[in-house]
Amino acid sequence: MVIPNQPIGATVEHPNATAVLFLGAASIFCCGALGPVAWALGKRALDQIEDSGGALGGRAQVLVGYVLGVIGTVLMVLMAILFLLIVLGGNA
């Protein structure tokens, strides 16, 4: 993969690295619905970084955002199940 206007051997951070990290963190701390978004964007970004052959960097940021997105998604599902059990079960 050739990236224009970059010196040979220099890595460029993936364009979505910061966004994936932000979405992953936001899915944990405020909005669980952002978890699947961080998960999907993180997976796509990790695949692109691997396919770039070292031309794209930011793998650590993307990986942390991806893992936080997975955790945020799991927490969102658990909270939804708990909510449904409380609503359907009456007094819990």
Side-chain angles (χ1 to χ4, degrees):
M1 173 179 211
V2 176
I3 300 175
N5 300 326
Q6 290 297 320
I8 295 175
T11 60
V12 177
E13 184 176 293
H14 192 279
N16 292 339
T18 305
V20 171
L21 181 62
F22 173 76
L23 290 171
S27 74
I28 296 284
F29 295 114
C30 65
C31 183
L34 295 175
V37 177
W39 192 349
L41 282 177
K43 179 63 175 150
R44 184 179 307 150
L46 283 173
D47 290 343
Q48 290 172 351
I49 290 171
E50 292 297 321
D51 292 341
S52 73
L56 289 174
R59 188 178 194 290
Q61 264 185 319
V62 172
L63 189 60
V64 170
Y66 175 77
V67 170
L68 289 176
V70 171
I71 293 170
T73 302
V74 169
L75 288 176
M76 178 184 66
V77 169
L78 289 175
M79 293 307 274
I81 291 171
L82 180 65
F83 177 76
L84 286 174
L85 288 175
I86 290 173
V87 167
L88 295 176
N91 298 333

